[in-house]
Amino acid sequence: MPNATPQRFAHNSLWHAGAFTFAMAVLAWALYGTDFSISRLIAGVPNMWTITGEMLPPDTSRFNAIVSAIITTLQMAIAGAAIGIALSIPIGFLAAKNTTPHPWLYRISRAWLTMLRTVPDLAWALFFVASVGLGPFAGVLTLIVDTVGFCGRFFAEAIEETDPQPNEALAAIGAKPVDRFAVAILPNASASMVNTSLFSLEKAVRSSVVLGLVGAGGIGVELAVSMEMFRYDQASMIILLVFLLVYGVERISNAIRTRIL
Amino acid sequence: MSAPAAVTTTVTTPATVAVTESVTTAAAAPLVSPALQVQGLSKAFNQQPPVFSNVDLTVAPGQAVAIIGANGAGKSTLLRCCVRLLEPDAGQVSIAGKPFSELHGKALRQARSQVGFVFQKHQLIPRLSVLSNVLHGALGSQGGWRMWRQAWAPSNERDRAYHMLEQVGLAHLALRRADTLSGGQSQRVAIARALMQTPRLLMADEPTASLDPSSGMAVMELLKQVTQSNQIGLLMVSHNLEQTMQYSDQIVGLKQQRIALNSASRECCREQLRAFFSTGATHA
């Protein structure tokens, strides 16, 4: 007689029931702590309609000023992402196990990247606004830090995932580490790094909109002022142009990605 | 394939008695250093029994030595220990007369620049051009950013890389991306890359294992031709006994951690090889 077919689940049902109950308890705790209320949501629906009504039609009277702020936002995103991506290459090299010159440099650079990534960009924006003053320069500095935290980690992982054998082939003939990195590791990691860079540019465009809310320049300042003055028709114009900017950057980024990869 | 120099090899029998035999493969006495000289080389991994121990081996300029053995016998490990991609536990290695064992850093890199390496999988950089890949073969002796891409390379090095491609018959593919080549073409490019180093010793780790029989024969023919005409010592690992007998001067068999067969190819018969593989060969 053949052996019995194995059971579908390796763990006993008591363990599963306990895990499910715990997950539900955590969710209930989170909802309670945030005053989550369906009745308040329903009561707020008329207000949503009112605000939406006030948003339409969008106000075009400040079109030129808004477009100018949108261009500043795009410039912030491009400058911040480009400098951040350039800085991420050497940091990624230090933070990858297979290329770092010393284990301590690996640990320090990984910890540094984690710190850059875990502090929210709004906190960095407040820090830079306080340091260098209001305006887009503080926003660019924020985006550089944010991009290094994002790209540095993914560049390091792309470097770690490269096939070690071409590198070994060059080591066998006496090539220097810098030459091996440039010809055996970087070209093999480049597809993934280009992909990450394009995502970071899209992310920088989205972030740069929000950064203006805390005074770091760009269209966010215009949006904050319109909302505070209850000029929802101006706010809707800004949101519409922000949508077009983000959508346009994503389309261009997708086209580049398709062509390069 | 004939070697122009006298070859001295030490054979350690399974009974661990060291016997030194001299095999003279050409009339002229050697005036130049052997391409490779290995003495008493041993390697073990993590407290395990040694992969091989006390291996002696000599490859003369222009001579082709083939290492055979079952899977897991330590053939590839031996090759890697020779250039210290893996650190041997004991023994001495000299390449082109230069002791290798005590070198570190820059000195080790300079010593490695006497060696060309051809791997089972060609190890080309797929996104780069064929010419750039060949150029990288000279990075051991001439590094720097200009050698990273063919477009930036000094004219003399670029011309030399193109000439290497001519030698392997692929000059017409110089600007093609490496990932568009067939397996046989890729391996020929890998040979051209190894020749860029103007090596004294060429190591080939199963260079035909991933190729069809006809491409494999073409690659072996090319290896034979370029190593003989440039007086380069060739140390290769192979599972293909027909090719081994046809294209090598000396056959060295690794078994049970030792050299259990060491014979001139022309004296080595199929029965000898069959006996080598049938008695106690380890299979992975």
Side-chain angles (χ1 to χ4, degrees), chain A residues 163 165-180 182-185 187-188 190-191 260-261, chain B residues 80 83 85 109 112-113 115-117 119 123-128 136-137 139-140 143-145 148-149 193 197:
Chain A
D163 183 358
Q165 291 179 327
N167 187 31
E168 188 191 35
L170 291 176
I173 61 167
K176 289 179 196 158
V178 64
D179 291 327
R180 280 160 30 207
V183 307
I185 293 175
N188 281 338
S190 64
I260 291 180
L261 308 180
Chain B
R80 280 165 172 74
V83 287
L85 284 175
R109 286 202 305 273
R112 281 175 174 166
S113 68
V115 183
F117 221 120
F119 293 84
Q123 310 301 3
L124 302 180
I125 311 299
R127 301 176 69 86
L128 300 185
H136 295 163
L139 281 173
W145 67 271
W148 294 351
R149 299 284 189 280
R193 181 177 63 177
Q197 187 88 298

Side-chain angles (χ1 to χ4, degrees), chain A residues 8-88:
Chain A
R8 287 177 192 276
F9 302 105
H11 301 292
N12 62 47
S13 56
L14 193 64
W15 189 94
H16 277 140
F20 181 74
T21 306
F22 178 73
M24 288 297 104
V26 169
L27 177 61
W29 170 73
L31 295 175
Y32 179 77
T34 52
D35 293 334
F36 190 86
S37 163
I38 297 290
S39 58
R40 278 180 63 192
L41 177 64
I42 293 167
V45 168
N47 291 336
M48 291 181 198
W49 274 112
T50 306
I51 292 170
T52 307
E54 288 178 21
M55 282 181 157
L56 297 172
D59 178 18
T60 55
S61 62
R62 297 195 65 247
F63 184 78
N64 288 343
I66 293 171
V67 167
S68 170
I70 285 273
I71 289 171
T72 305
T73 303
L74 181 62
Q75 288 168 330
M76 279 167 58
I78 290 171
I83 297 171
I85 289 164
L87 291 176
S88 298

